[in-house]
Amino acid sequence: MRDPYKVLGVRKDAGADEIKAAWRSLAKTAHPDHNIGDPTATERFAEIGRAYETLKDPQKRGRYDQIARMAEAKGQSQEQTIMEQRQAAREAAERARAARANAEKIMEELARANARKAAADAAAGQSAPQSAAGESPEDMVERIFGVKAARGQQEQATTSAGAQHAEIRPEAATAATEEAPVEEELLATGTAPAGSRSAFGILSSLVRRITGGNVPEKPPEKTPEVAAEASVTIDDMLKSRWIIVPLSDGREARFQATTDIANGQVLHLKGQGLKLQGMLRGDVAVTVHLSTDGRFTLDGSDVRTILPITIENAVLGCEAMVEGLNGPVGLTVPAWSGSDQTVRIPGEGLPDGNGGKGDLVVELRLMLWEKPDDKVTDLMRSMREGLFL
């Protein structure tokens, strides 16, 4: 990713308002709809969005500034510094996995050796040392590591421990250099765990001791969100169609149109954005624009439609049916209705985002018959000229 400050054209000490104003200005200028003949408009628009996503978040901005300072001190680019950090994290994770595997092998051998020792003690009428009865796994591992250096001159005297250790399989003996003394000390002192709870406790302590806390706790960083736009018709919403959104890298994101989508709403499509090496796939922020068809027009959450009526129904009033979003809806046309009059049907519009729905607004439109009617013509002439039959 290019320097977000250079992309937005702001200083590195720019405030949040200045960054937002620069993003709005550039996004309007670089919007693909305003640059139809420019094949690079989509990529520039996406780059502006990524830069704004980085700088508007104080945490992301702080991380970027820190990496930039580190890269400047080393004479490297920000991308090189980021790759070095990710490589170090991967190597630490590999070391932790190897340590866990070695510790699991040791625990398997400890369990078998403990079973053999328990059987031998039972046959000889011996019991385990009382000093280890109340010892926690953490204390046991700490004690073993603490006394490990002092056991250099006592290894020849611990004959029984050497005999038991010789029974361990060769593949477990090839573990890390610190793991073999731990195993010998557990067997020699008779403090090998007798139950599964103690075994798991020692295993956890052993892994923490071997790895030295190098296991990375933070998950990989997420790729910045990509901005996109999509047009959705009312018919798409009614039929729950899947809408395809093209992205700047040639891929496509998808979402299902539903009747609870509002005009101008931003949908965040999780995990459908850009994928960069060593980072989690980002999201896509899709701004929805609702388009109309021949039957309906939109007025916020209200849906407007037209109902043609004849002169006699306009004068006398009538019961009529009009096509709504979910099928025909009945309404009453008041007597003496004109073409500028509307009839509002509550709750038959689109969701308003607050748990309710807008209205279906029916606009009455006066219409004549297909063929002239002599009686109506004479009546209209007499009313205009003041003659009464």
Side-chain angles (χ1 to χ4, degrees), residues 4-93:
Y5 293 101
K6 294 182 179 179
V7 173
L8 297 182
V10 297
R11 304 184 311 275
K12 291 191 176 182
D13 58 350
D17 294 339
E18 183 179 351
I19 292 173
K20 187 174 184 180
W23 167 70
R24 284 182 173 176
S25 177
L26 290 174
K28 180 182 293 186
T29 304
H31 197 284
D33 290 349
H34 301 157
N35 300 271
I36 299 177
D38 186 357
T40 64
T42 301
E43 178 59 31
R44 286 191 289 110
F45 184 76
E47 184 180 43
I48 292 169
R50 291 193 295 270
Y52 179 62
E53 286 294 327
T54 301
L55 298 184
K56 77 173 184 179
D57 188 330
Q59 293 184 350
K60 291 182 180 179
R61 183 178 180 181
R63 285 197 299 269
Y64 178 84
D65 291 342
Q66 182 181 8
I67 293 173
R69 288 192 295 269
M70 292 170 58
E72 185 177 354
K74 293 181 178 180
Q76 299 174 329
S77 65
Q78 287 90 330
E79 289 77 5
Q80 288 176 316
T81 304
I82 292 173
M83 293 305 297
E84 287 181 0
Q85 292 178 347
R86 292 174 184 161
Q87 180 63 28
R90 284 193 290 268
E91 292 175 356

Coordinates of all heavy atoms in Angstrom, one line a residue, residues 4-93:
P4 N -0.4 6.5 2.8 CA -1.8 7.0 2.8 C -1.8 8.5 2.9 O -2.7 9.2 2.4 CB -2.4 6.4 4.1 CG -1.3 5.9 4.9 CD -0.2 5.6 4.0
Y5 N -0.8 9.1 3.6 CA -0.7 10.6 3.6 C -0.5 11.2 2.2 O -1.1 12.2 1.9 CB 0.4 11.0 4.5 CG 0.2 10.6 6.0 CD1 0.9 9.5 6.5 CD2 -0.6 11.4 6.8 CE1 0.7 9.2 7.9 CE2 -0.8 11.0 8.1 CZ -0.1 9.9 8.7 OH -0.3 9.6 10.0
K6 N 0.3 10.5 1.4 CA 0.5 11.0 0.1 C -0.7 10.8 -0.8 O -1.0 11.6 -1.7 CB 1.8 10.3 -0.6 CG 3.1 10.7 0.1 CD 4.2 10.0 -0.6 CE 5.6 10.4 0.1 NZ 6.7 9.7 -0.6
V7 N -1.4 9.6 -0.6 CA -2.6 9.3 -1.4 C -3.7 10.4 -1.1 O -4.3 10.9 -2.1 CB -3.1 7.9 -1.0 CG1 -4.5 7.7 -1.7 CG2 -2.1 6.9 -1.4
L8 N -3.9 10.8 0.1 CA -4.9 11.8 0.4 C -4.3 13.2 0.3 O -5.1 14.2 0.4 CB -5.4 11.6 1.8 CG -6.2 10.2 2.1 CD1 -6.7 10.2 3.5 CD2 -7.3 10.1 1.1
G9 N -3.0 13.4 0.2 CA -2.4 14.7 0.0 C -2.5 15.5 1.3 O -2.8 16.7 1.2
V10 N -2.3 14.9 2.5 CA -2.4 15.6 3.7 C -1.0 15.5 4.4 O -0.2 14.6 4.1 CB -3.5 15.1 4.6 CG1 -4.8 15.3 4.0 CG2 -3.3 13.6 4.9
R11 N -0.8 16.4 5.4 CA 0.4 16.3 6.2 C 0.3 15.2 7.2 O -0.8 14.7 7.5 CB 0.7 17.6 7.0 CG 0.7 18.9 6.1 CD 1.0 20.1 6.9 NE 0.2 20.2 8.1 CZ -1.0 20.7 8.1 NH1 -1.5 21.2 7.0 NH2 -1.7 20.8 9.3
K12 N 1.5 14.8 7.7 CA 1.5 13.6 8.7 C 0.9 14.0 10.0 O 0.6 13.2 10.8 CB 2.9 13.1 8.8 CG 3.4 12.4 7.6 CD 4.7 11.6 7.9 CE 5.1 10.8 6.6 NZ 6.3 10.0 6.8
D13 N 0.8 15.4 10.3 CA 0.2 15.8 11.6 C -1.2 16.3 11.3 O -1.8 17.1 12.2 CB 1.1 16.9 12.2 CG 1.2 18.1 11.3 OD1 0.9 18.0 10.1 OD2 1.8 19.1 11.7
A14 N -1.8 16.0 10.2 CA -3.2 16.4 9.9 C -4.2 15.9 10.9 O -4.1 14.7 11.4 CB -3.6 16.0 8.5
G15 N -5.2 16.7 11.2 CA -6.2 16.3 12.1 C -7.3 15.4 11.4 O -7.3 15.3 10.2
A16 N -8.2 14.8 12.2 CA -9.2 13.9 11.7 C -10.1 14.7 10.7 O -10.5 14.1 9.7 CB -10.0 13.3 12.8
D17 N -10.5 15.9 11.0 CA -11.4 16.7 10.1 C -10.7 16.9 8.8 O -11.4 16.9 7.7 CB -11.8 18.0 10.8 CG -12.7 17.7 12.0 OD1 -13.3 16.6 12.1 OD2 -12.8 18.6 12.8
E18 N -9.4 17.3 8.8 CA -8.7 17.6 7.5 C -8.6 16.3 6.7 O -8.8 16.3 5.5 CB -7.3 18.1 7.9 CG -6.5 18.5 6.6 CD -5.2 19.0 7.0 OE1 -4.9 19.3 8.2 OE2 -4.3 19.2 6.1
I19 N -8.3 15.2 7.3 CA -8.2 13.9 6.6 C -9.6 13.5 6.0 O -9.7 13.1 4.8 CB -7.8 12.8 7.6 CG1 -6.3 13.1 8.0 CG2 -7.9 11.4 6.9 CD1 -5.8 12.1 9.0
K20 N -10.7 13.7 6.8 CA -12.0 13.4 6.2 C -12.4 14.3 5.1 O -12.9 13.8 4.1 CB -13.0 13.5 7.4 CG -14.4 13.0 7.0 CD -15.3 13.0 8.2 CE -16.7 12.5 7.8 NZ -17.6 12.5 9.0
A21 N -12.1 15.6 5.2 CA -12.4 16.5 4.1 C -11.6 16.1 2.8 O -12.1 16.2 1.7 CB -12.1 17.9 4.5
A22 N -10.3 15.8 3.0 CA -9.5 15.4 1.8 C -10.0 14.1 1.2 O -10.1 14.0 -0.1 CB -8.0 15.2 2.3
W23 N -10.4 13.2 2.0 CA -11.0 11.9 1.4 C -12.3 12.2 0.7 O -12.5 11.6 -0.4 CB -11.3 10.9 2.6 CG -12.1 9.8 2.2 CD1 -11.8 8.7 1.4 CD2 -13.5 9.5 2.6 NE1 -12.8 7.9 1.2 CE2 -13.9 8.3 2.0 CE3 -14.4 10.2 3.4 CZ2 -15.2 7.8 2.1 CZ3 -15.6 9.7 3.6 CH2 -16.0 8.5 2.9
R24 N -13.2 13.0 1.2 CA -14.4 13.3 0.5 C -14.2 14.0 -0.8 O -14.8 13.6 -1.8 CB -15.3 14.2 1.4 CG -16.0 13.4 2.5 CD -16.9 14.3 3.3 NE -17.7 13.6 4.3 CZ -18.5 14.2 5.2 NH1 -18.6 15.5 5.2 NH2 -19.2 13.5 6.1
S25 N -13.3 14.9 -0.8 CA -13.0 15.6 -2.1 C -12.4 14.7 -3.1 O -12.8 14.7 -4.3 CB -12.0 16.8 -1.8 OG -11.7 17.4 -3.0
L26 N -11.4 13.9 -2.7 CA -10.8 13.0 -3.7 C -11.7 11.9 -4.1 O -11.7 11.5 -5.3 CB -9.5 12.4 -3.1 CG -8.3 13.3 -2.8 CD1 -7.2 12.6 -2.1 CD2 -7.8 13.8 -4.2
A27 N -12.5 11.3 -3.2 CA -13.5 10.3 -3.6 C -14.5 10.8 -4.6 O -14.9 10.0 -5.5 CB -14.2 9.7 -2.3
K28 N -15.0 12.0 -4.4 CA -15.9 12.5 -5.4 C -15.3 12.7 -6.8 O -15.9 12.4 -7.8 CB -16.5 13.9 -4.9 CG -17.5 14.5 -5.8 CD -18.0 15.8 -5.3 CE -18.8 15.7 -4.0 NZ -19.3 17.0 -3.6
T29 N -14.0 13.2 -6.8 CA -13.3 13.4 -8.0 C -13.0 12.1 -8.7 O -13.1 12.0 -10.0 CB -12.0 14.2 -7.8 OG1 -12.4 15.4 -7.1 CG2 -11.3 14.5 -9.1
A30 N -12.6 11.1 -8.0 CA -12.1 9.8 -8.6 C -13.2 8.8 -8.7 O -12.9 7.6 -9.1 CB -11.0 9.3 -7.7
H31 N -14.4 9.1 -8.3 CA -15.5 8.1 -8.4 C -15.6 7.5 -9.8 O -15.6 8.3 -10.8 CB -16.8 8.7 -7.9 CG -17.8 7.7 -7.6 ND1 -18.5 7.0 -8.5 CD2 -18.3 7.3 -6.3 CE1 -19.3 6.1 -7.9 NE2 -19.2 6.3 -6.6
P32 N -15.7 6.2 -9.9 CA -15.8 5.6 -11.3 C -17.0 6.1 -12.1 O -16.9 6.2 -13.3 CB -16.0 4.1 -11.0 CG -15.4 3.9 -9.7 CD -15.6 5.2 -8.9
D33 N -18.1 6.5 -11.5 CA -19.3 7.0 -12.2 C -19.0 8.4 -12.9 O -19.6 8.7 -13.9 CB -20.5 7.2 -11.3 CG -21.0 5.8 -10.8 OD1 -20.6 4.8 -11.4 OD2 -21.8 5.8 -9.9
H34 N -18.0 9.1 -12.3 CA -17.6 10.4 -12.9 C -16.4 10.3 -13.9 O -16.0 11.3 -14.4 CB -17.2 11.4 -11.8 CG -18.4 11.6 -10.8 ND1 -18.2 12.1 -9.6 CD2 -19.7 11.4 -11.0 CE1 -19.4 12.2 -9.0 NE2 -20.3 11.8 -9.8
N35 N -15.8 9.0 -14.0 CA -14.7 8.8 -14.8 C -14.9 7.5 -15.7 O -14.2 6.6 -15.6 CB -13.4 8.7 -14.0 CG -13.1 9.9 -13.2 OD1 -12.5 10.8 -13.7 ND2 -13.6 10.0 -12.0
I36 N -16.0 7.5 -16.4 CA -16.4 6.3 -17.1 C -15.4 5.9 -18.1 O -15.1 4.7 -18.3 CB -17.8 6.5 -17.8 CG1 -18.9 6.8 -16.7 CG2 -18.2 5.3 -18.6 CD1 -20.2 7.1 -17.3
G37 N -14.7 6.8 -18.8 CA -13.7 6.5 -19.8 C -12.3 6.2 -19.2 O -11.4 5.9 -20.0
D38 N -12.2 6.3 -17.9 CA -10.8 6.0 -17.3 C -10.8 4.7 -16.7 O -11.5 4.4 -15.7 CB -10.6 7.1 -16.3 CG -9.2 7.0 -15.7 OD1 -8.4 6.1 -16.1 OD2 -8.8 7.9 -14.9
P39 N -10.0 3.7 -17.3 CA -10.0 2.4 -16.7 C -9.3 2.3 -15.3 O -9.4 1.3 -14.6 CB -9.2 1.6 -17.8 CG -8.3 2.6 -18.5 CD -9.1 3.9 -18.5
T40 N -8.5 3.3 -15.0 CA -7.8 3.3 -13.7 C -8.6 3.9 -12.6 O -8.2 4.0 -11.4 CB -6.5 4.0 -13.8 OG1 -6.7 5.4 -14.1 CG2 -5.6 3.4 -14.9
A41 N -9.8 4.4 -12.9 CA -10.6 5.2 -11.9 C -11.0 4.3 -10.7 O -10.9 4.7 -9.5 CB -11.8 5.8 -12.5
T42 N -11.4 3.0 -11.0 CA -11.8 2.1 -9.9 C -10.7 1.8 -8.9 O -10.9 1.9 -7.7 CB -12.3 0.8 -10.5 OG1 -13.4 1.1 -11.4 CG2 -12.8 -0.1 -9.4
E43 N -9.5 1.6 -9.5 CA -8.3 1.3 -8.6 C -8.0 2.6 -7.8 O -7.6 2.5 -6.6 CB -7.1 0.9 -9.5 CG -5.9 0.6 -8.6 CD -6.1 -0.5 -7.6 OE1 -6.9 -1.4 -7.8 OE2 -5.4 -0.4 -6.5
R44 N -8.0 3.7 -8.4 CA -7.7 5.0 -7.6 C -8.7 5.2 -6.5 O -8.4 5.6 -5.4 CB -7.6 6.2 -8.6 CG -6.4 6.2 -9.5 CD -6.2 7.5 -10.2 NE -7.2 7.7 -11.3 CZ -8.2 8.5 -11.3 NH1 -8.3 9.3 -10.2 NH2 -9.0 8.6 -12.3
F45 N -10.0 5.0 -6.9 CA -11.0 5.1 -5.9 C -10.8 4.2 -4.7 O -11.0 4.5 -3.5 CB -12.4 4.9 -6.6 CG -13.6 5.1 -5.7 CD1 -14.0 6.4 -5.4 CD2 -14.3 4.1 -5.1 CE1 -15.1 6.7 -4.5 CE2 -15.3 4.3 -4.3 CZ -15.7 5.6 -4.0
A46 N -10.5 2.9 -5.0 CA -10.2 1.9 -4.0 C -9.0 2.3 -3.1 O -9.0 2.2 -1.9 CB -10.1 0.5 -4.6
E47 N -8.0 2.8 -3.8 CA -6.8 3.2 -3.0 C -7.1 4.4 -2.1 O -6.6 4.4 -0.9 CB -5.7 3.6 -4.0 CG -4.3 3.9 -3.3 CD -3.3 4.3 -4.4 OE1 -3.6 5.1 -5.3 OE2 -2.1 3.9 -4.2
I48 N -7.9 5.3 -2.5 CA -8.3 6.4 -1.7 C -9.0 5.9 -0.4 O -8.8 6.4 0.7 CB -9.1 7.5 -2.5 CG1 -8.2 8.1 -3.5 CG2 -9.7 8.5 -1.5 CD1 -9.0 9.0 -4.5
G49 N -9.9 4.9 -0.7 CA -10.7 4.4 0.4 C -9.8 3.6 1.4 O -10.0 3.7 2.6
R50 N -8.8 2.9 0.9 CA -7.9 2.2 1.8 C -7.1 3.2 2.6 O -6.8 2.9 3.8 CB -7.0 1.2 1.0 CG -7.7 0.1 0.4 CD -6.7 -1.0 -0.1 NE -5.8 -0.5 -1.2 CZ -6.1 -0.6 -2.5 NH1 -7.3 -1.2 -2.8 NH2 -5.3 -0.1 -3.4
A51 N -6.6 4.2 2.0 CA -5.8 5.2 2.7 C -6.7 5.9 3.8 O -6.2 6.1 5.0 CB -5.3 6.3 1.8
Y52 N -7.9 6.2 3.5 CA -8.8 6.8 4.6 C -9.1 5.8 5.7 O -9.1 6.2 6.9 CB -10.1 7.2 3.9 CG -11.0 7.9 4.9 CD1 -10.7 9.0 5.6 CD2 -12.3 7.3 5.2 CE1 -11.6 9.6 6.5 CE2 -13.2 7.8 6.1 CZ -12.8 9.0 6.7 OH -13.7 9.5 7.6
E53 N -9.3 4.5 5.4 CA -9.5 3.5 6.4 C -8.3 3.4 7.4 O -8.5 3.2 8.6 CB -9.8 2.1 5.8 CG -11.1 2.0 5.1 CD -12.3 2.0 6.1 OE1 -12.1 1.6 7.3 OE2 -13.3 2.6 5.8
T54 N -7.1 3.6 6.8 CA -5.9 3.5 7.7 C -5.8 4.7 8.6 O -5.5 4.6 9.8 CB -4.7 3.4 6.8 OG1 -4.8 2.2 6.0 CG2 -3.4 3.3 7.6
L55 N -6.0 5.9 8.0 CA -5.8 7.2 8.8 C -6.9 7.6 9.7 O -6.7 8.3 10.7 CB -5.5 8.3 7.8 CG -4.2 8.1 7.0 CD1 -3.9 9.3 6.1 CD2 -3.0 7.8 7.8
K56 N -8.2 7.1 9.4 CA -9.3 7.6 10.2 C -9.3 6.8 11.6 O -9.9 7.3 12.5 CB -10.6 7.4 9.5 CG -11.1 5.9 9.5 CD -12.5 5.8 8.9 CE -13.0 4.4 8.9 NZ -14.4 4.3 8.4
D57 N -8.7 5.6 11.6 CA -8.6 4.8 12.8 C -7.4 5.2 13.6 O -6.3 5.0 13.1 CB -8.7 3.3 12.5 CG -8.8 2.5 13.7 OD1 -8.4 2.9 14.8 OD2 -9.4 1.4 13.6
P58 N -7.5 5.7 14.8 CA -6.2 6.1 15.5 C -5.3 5.0 15.8 O -4.0 5.2 15.7 CB -6.8 6.7 16.9 CG -8.2 7.1 16.6 CD -8.7 6.1 15.5
Q59 N -5.8 3.8 16.0 CA -4.9 2.6 16.2 C -4.2 2.2 15.0 O -2.9 2.0 15.0 CB -5.7 1.4 16.8 CG -6.3 1.7 18.2 CD -7.0 0.4 18.7 OE1 -7.2 -0.5 18.0 NE2 -7.4 0.5 20.0
K60 N -4.9 2.1 13.8 CA -4.2 1.8 12.6 C -3.2 2.9 12.2 O -2.2 2.6 11.7 CB -5.3 1.6 11.5 CG -6.2 0.4 11.7 CD -7.2 0.3 10.5 CE -8.0 -1.0 10.7 NZ -9.0 -1.1 9.6
R61 N -3.6 4.1 12.4 CA -2.7 5.2 12.0 C -1.5 5.2 12.9 O -0.3 5.4 12.4 CB -3.4 6.5 12.2 CG -2.6 7.8 11.8 CD -3.4 9.0 11.9 NE -2.6 10.2 11.5 CZ -3.1 11.4 11.6 NH1 -4.3 11.7 12.0 NH2 -2.3 12.5 11.2
G62 N -1.6 4.9 14.2 CA -0.5 4.8 15.1 C 0.5 3.7 14.7 O 1.7 3.8 14.7
R63 N -0.1 2.5 14.3 CA 0.7 1.4 13.9 C 1.5 1.7 12.6 O 2.7 1.4 12.4 CB -0.1 0.1 13.7 CG -0.6 -0.5 15.0 CD -1.0 -1.9 14.7 NE -2.2 -2.0 13.8 CZ -3.4 -2.0 14.2 NH1 -3.7 -1.9 15.5 NH2 -4.4 -2.0 13.4
Y64 N 0.8 2.4 11.7 CA 1.5 2.7 10.4 C 2.6 3.7 10.7 O 3.7 3.6 10.1 CB 0.4 3.3 9.4 CG 1.1 3.8 8.1 CD1 1.3 2.9 7.1 CD2 1.5 5.1 8.0 CE1 1.9 3.3 5.9 CE2 2.2 5.5 6.8 CZ 2.4 4.6 5.8 OH 3.0 5.0 4.6
D65 N 2.3 4.7 11.5 CA 3.4 5.7 11.8 C 4.6 5.1 12.5 O 5.7 5.4 12.2 CB 2.8 6.8 12.7 CG 1.8 7.7 12.0 OD1 1.8 7.7 10.7 OD2 1.0 8.4 12.7
Q66 N 4.3 4.1 13.4 CA 5.4 3.4 14.0 C 6.3 2.6 13.1 O 7.5 2.6 13.1 CB 4.9 2.5 15.1 CG 5.9 1.8 15.9 CD 5.3 0.8 17.0 OE1 4.1 0.6 17.0 NE2 6.2 0.3 17.8
I67 N 5.6 1.9 12.2 CA 6.3 1.1 11.2 C 7.1 2.0 10.2 O 8.2 1.7 9.8 CB 5.3 0.2 10.4 CG1 4.7 -0.9 11.3 CG2 6.0 -0.4 9.1 CD1 3.6 -1.6 10.6
A68 N 6.5 3.2 9.9 CA 7.2 4.1 9.0 C 8.5 4.6 9.7 O 9.5 4.7 9.0 CB 6.3 5.3 8.6
R69 N 8.4 4.9 11.0 CA 9.6 5.4 11.7 C 10.6 4.3 11.8 O 11.9 4.6 11.6 CB 9.2 5.9 13.1 CG 8.4 7.2 13.1 CD 8.3 7.7 14.5 NE 7.5 6.9 15.4 CZ 6.2 7.0 15.5 NH1 5.5 7.9 14.9 NH2 5.6 6.2 16.4
M70 N 10.2 3.1 12.0 CA 11.2 2.0 12.1 C 11.9 1.8 10.7 O 13.1 1.6 10.6 CB 10.5 0.7 12.5 CG 10.0 0.7 13.9 SD 8.9 -0.7 14.3 CE 10.0 -2.1 13.9
A71 N 11.1 1.8 9.7 CA 11.6 1.7 8.3 C 12.6 2.8 8.0 O 13.6 2.6 7.3 CB 10.5 1.6 7.3
E72 N 12.3 4.0 8.4 CA 13.1 5.1 8.1 C 14.5 5.0 8.8 O 15.5 5.3 8.3 CB 12.4 6.4 8.5 CG 13.2 7.7 8.1 CD 12.4 8.9 8.5 OE1 11.3 8.8 8.9 OE2 13.0 10.0 8.3
A73 N 14.4 4.5 10.1 CA 15.6 4.3 10.8 C 16.5 3.3 10.2 O 17.7 3.4 10.3 CB 15.3 4.0 12.3
K74 N 15.9 2.2 9.7 CA 16.7 1.1 9.1 C 17.0 1.4 7.6 O 17.7 0.6 7.0 CB 15.9 -0.2 9.2 CG 15.7 -0.7 10.6 CD 15.0 -2.0 10.6 CE 14.8 -2.6 11.9 NZ 14.0 -3.9 11.9
G75 N 16.5 2.5 7.1 CA 16.7 2.7 5.6 C 15.9 1.8 4.7 O 16.3 1.5 3.6
Q76 N 14.8 1.2 5.2 CA 14.0 0.3 4.5 C 12.6 1.0 4.2 O 12.3 2.0 4.8 CB 13.8 -1.0 5.3 CG 15.0 -1.7 5.6 CD 14.8 -2.9 6.4 OE1 13.8 -2.9 7.3 NE2 15.5 -4.0 6.3
S77 N 11.9 0.3 3.4 CA 10.5 0.7 3.1 C 9.6 0.1 4.2 O 9.9 -0.8 4.8 CB 10.0 0.3 1.7 OG 10.0 -1.1 1.7
Q78 N 8.4 0.7 4.3 CA 7.4 0.2 5.2 C 7.1 -1.3 4.9 O 6.8 -2.1 5.8 CB 6.1 1.0 5.2 CG 6.3 2.4 5.9 CD 6.7 3.5 4.9 OE1 7.4 3.1 4.0 NE2 6.4 4.7 5.2
E79 N 7.0 -1.6 3.6 CA 6.6 -3.0 3.2 C 7.7 -4.0 3.7 O 7.3 -5.0 4.2 CB 6.4 -3.1 1.7 CG 5.2 -2.4 1.2 CD 5.3 -0.8 1.1 OE1 6.5 -0.4 1.4 OE2 4.4 -0.2 0.8
Q80 N 9.0 -3.6 3.6 CA 10.0 -4.5 4.1 C 9.9 -4.7 5.6 O 10.1 -5.8 6.0 CB 11.4 -3.9 3.7 CG 11.7 -3.9 2.2 CD 13.0 -3.2 1.9 OE1 13.3 -2.2 2.4 NE2 13.9 -3.9 1.1
T81 N 9.7 -3.6 6.3 CA 9.6 -3.8 7.8 C 8.4 -4.7 8.2 O 8.5 -5.5 9.0 CB 9.4 -2.4 8.4 OG1 10.5 -1.6 8.0 CG2 9.4 -2.5 10.0
I82 N 7.3 -4.5 7.5 CA 6.1 -5.3 7.8 C 6.4 -6.8 7.5 O 6.1 -7.7 8.3 CB 4.9 -4.8 7.0 CG1 4.5 -3.4 7.5 CG2 3.7 -5.8 7.1 CD1 3.4 -2.8 6.6
M83 N 7.1 -7.1 6.4 CA 7.4 -8.5 6.0 C 8.3 -9.1 7.0 O 8.2 -10.3 7.4 CB 8.0 -8.5 4.6 CG 7.0 -8.1 3.5 SD 5.5 -9.1 3.5 CE 6.1 -10.7 3.2
E84 N 9.3 -8.3 7.5 CA 10.2 -8.8 8.5 C 9.4 -9.2 9.8 O 9.7 -10.3 10.4 CB 11.3 -7.8 8.9 CG 12.3 -7.6 7.8 CD 13.4 -6.6 8.1 OE1 13.3 -6.1 9.3 OE2 14.3 -6.4 7.3
Q85 N 8.5 -8.4 10.2 CA 7.8 -8.7 11.4 C 6.9 -9.9 11.2 O 6.8 -10.7 12.1 CB 6.9 -7.5 11.8 CG 7.7 -6.2 12.2 CD 6.7 -5.1 12.5 OE1 5.6 -5.1 12.2 NE2 7.3 -4.0 13.2
R86 N 6.3 -10.0 10.1 CA 5.5 -11.2 9.8 C 6.3 -12.5 9.8 O 5.9 -13.6 10.3 CB 4.7 -11.0 8.5 CG 3.6 -10.0 8.6 CD 3.0 -9.7 7.3 NE 2.1 -8.6 7.3 CZ 1.6 -7.9 6.3 NH1 2.0 -8.3 5.1 NH2 0.8 -6.9 6.4
Q87 N 7.5 -12.4 9.2 CA 8.4 -13.6 9.1 C 8.8 -14.0 10.5 O 8.9 -15.2 10.8 CB 9.6 -13.3 8.2 CG 10.6 -14.4 8.1 CD 10.0 -15.6 7.4 OE1 9.0 -15.5 6.6 NE2 10.4 -16.8 7.7
A88 N 9.1 -13.0 11.4 CA 9.5 -13.3 12.7 C 8.4 -14.0 13.5 O 8.6 -14.9 14.3 CB 10.0 -12.1 13.5
A89 N 7.1 -13.5 13.3 CA 6.0 -14.1 13.9 C 5.8 -15.5 13.4 O 5.5 -16.4 14.2 CB 4.7 -13.3 13.7
R90 N 6.0 -15.8 12.1 CA 5.8 -17.2 11.6 C 6.9 -18.1 12.2 O 6.6 -19.2 12.6 CB 5.9 -17.1 10.1 CG 4.6 -16.6 9.4 CD 4.6 -16.9 7.9 NE 5.6 -16.1 7.2 CZ 5.4 -15.0 6.7 NH1 4.2 -14.4 6.7 NH2 6.3 -14.3 6.0
E91 N 8.1 -17.6 12.3 CA 9.2 -18.4 12.9 C 8.9 -18.7 14.3 O 9.1 -19.9 14.8 CB 10.5 -17.7 12.7 CG 11.0 -17.6 11.3 CD 12.3 -16.8 11.2 OE1 12.7 -16.3 12.2 OE2 12.8 -16.7 10.0
A92 N 8.4 -17.8 15.1 CA 8.0 -18.0 16.5 C 6.9 -19.0 16.6 O 7.0 -19.9 17.5 CB 7.6 -16.7 17.2
A93 N 6.0 -19.0 15.7 CA 4.9 -19.9 15.8 C 5.4 -21.3 15.5 O 4.9 -22.3 16.1 CB 3.8 -19.5 14.8

